[in-house]
Amino acid sequence: HKVSLDSKYLEKFINFQNLLKDKIFETSKVEDYAKYLGVSSKTLNNITKSIIGKQAKTFINEFYLLGIKRILTDQKLSIKECAFQSGFDDIPNYYKFFKKHLNLTPEQFRQKFC
């Protein structure tokens, strides 16, 4: 990604990334991350647009999908355990989310990439 390093928002963006690492499986709402950072949702969107050229929600979803993929690569875990570790209480919703965003089932992802 193209990054604007001279932005006045860089420190907040780094804090946002660190929050994502800690809380990604707890919440995926822009409003929650904005609140943690002490800014409005609009300001958080301005920060992410300025630094990486994307909406905050898009960046959160990408980060979330990356986390889900990482969990799924642990072959010791069942698909059900992966779903729960990813923050899903309902297995069908996990499959729907995965299929919608990656166009694969979790099993297909494992077969293809693990």
Side-chain angles (χ1 to χ4, degrees):
H1 301 297
K2 184 180 178 187
V3 176
S4 173
L5 295 177
D6 61 343
S7 172
K8 64 182 178 178
Y9 293 134
L10 185 58
E11 185 178 343
K12 283 282 188 194
F13 181 76
I14 291 168
N15 291 339
F16 177 44
Q17 285 182 303
N18 290 331
L19 275 172
L20 282 173
K21 289 176 192 173
D22 293 338
K23 300 192 178 295
I24 193 63
F25 296 123
E26 293 174 27
T27 183
S28 62
K29 295 180 182 177
V30 173
E31 298 81 19
D32 292 338
Y33 289 102
K35 185 175 154 185
Y36 291 136
L37 292 168
V39 299
S40 69
S41 297
K42 183 177 179 179
T43 298
L44 184 53
N45 272 317
N46 288 339
I47 290 168
T48 58
K49 281 178 128 181
S50 172
I51 300 294
I52 60 169
K54 295 180 180 182
Q55 294 281 337
K57 184 61 177 171
T58 301
F59 186 64
I60 290 168
N61 285 344
E62 289 173 356
F63 202 90
Y64 187 57
L65 284 168
L66 182 61
I68 288 173
K69 290 177 192 176
R70 284 185 180 144
I71 290 171
L72 213 65
T73 60
D74 183 350
Q75 302 251 347
K76 294 178 235 162
L77 297 175
S78 70
I79 299 296
K80 186 175 181 179
E81 290 169 319
C82 291
F84 289 132
Q85 282 194 15
S86 299
F88 285 87
D89 294 330
D90 185 47
I91 304 302
N93 283 341
Y94 177 70
Y95 274 83
K96 286 178 195 173
F97 181 87
F98 208 88
K99 186 81 171 170
K100 176 183 175 185
H101 291 282
L102 297 172
N103 210 22
L104 297 168
T105 66
E107 290 88 358
Q108 290 169 331
F109 175 84
R110 272 193 171 164
Q111 288 172 353
K112 190 171 183 176
F113 297 106
C114 298

